[in-house]
Amino acid sequence: MFCYMLVAAAGLTALFKAVPLAYDAVRWAGVLYLLWLACRLIITRSESLAPGPLPSESNARLYRRGLLTCLLNPKIVVTYGALLPQFVDPAGANVLSQTVMLGLVQIAAAACAHSLVIVAVATLASVISKHHAIARLQRYLLACVLAALAVRLAMERRSTV
């Protein structure tokens, strides 16, 4: 989020208006990533959400995975490319500082919301893990939602961000 906030402050919206291909590249990368996630969910053989030992991965690999997930999230592109600029007053204080401040407020709010979701989902996962059929249904439902989001994103007309 911080990366997109800085890019928006530097003129992401202007870039996407001037070079629509740049927006399309991010959009299609997001489509492919969502489809990849959906396919992985379907081919995964795990029947349970029960906590178990995770394979050892380096911090660098975990960081790269998280960064890629965030950078290919089309929701973040829209938030920072289209939503934040609407709240910036060009006649007011420094546009860069306004954008950064708005971005930091949004990041703080998202961190709080994501923390609450993590706690709620962890509790729900312990309940679901005891019911294999529900866990399997949940996995396929999530795969369908991700695939539907990818299709919707792919069908989107060129944005005027």
Side-chain angles (χ1 to χ4, degrees), residues 47-50 124-138:
E47 295 297 324
S48 172
L49 296 177
L124 183 60
S126 67
V127 172
I128 291 176
S129 68
K130 297 175 179 123
H131 305 286
H132 296 297
I134 294 174
R136 192 175 21 238
L137 176 66
Q138 178 268 342

Side-chain angles (χ1 to χ4, degrees), residues 52-123:
L54 295 173
S56 180
E57 295 186 70
S58 71
N59 288 340
R61 183 170 181 181
L62 292 172
Y63 178 80
R64 279 192 310 271
R65 183 182 300 158
L67 183 63
L68 180 66
T69 299
C70 239
L71 289 176
L72 294 179
N73 184 342
K75 177 178 64 179
I76 295 175
V77 174
V78 171
T79 298
Y80 290 105
L83 188 63
L84 282 186
Q86 295 179 35
F87 295 99
V88 173
D89 180 13
N94 184 323
V95 172
L96 177 65
S97 63
Q98 288 181 64
T99 305
V100 169
M101 184 58 67
L102 285 169
L104 291 174
V105 168
Q106 190 279 329
I107 289 169
C112 292
H114 292 164
S115 297
L116 291 173
V117 168
I118 289 167
V119 170
V121 169
T123 304

Side-chain angles (χ1 to χ4, degrees), residues 39-48 132 136 139-140:
C39 290
R40 293 233 352 173
L41 280 167
I42 290 172
I43 63 174
T44 298
R45 295 287 179 209
S46 174
E47 295 297 324
S48 172
H132 296 297
R136 192 175 21 238
R139 191 175 74 241
Y140 288 120

Side-chain angles (χ1 to χ4, degrees), residues 28-41 146-148 150-151 154:
W28 281 104
V31 167
L32 294 173
Y33 186 63
L34 287 170
L35 289 173
W36 179 76
L37 288 174
C39 290
R40 293 233 352 173
L41 280 167
L146 290 172
V151 168

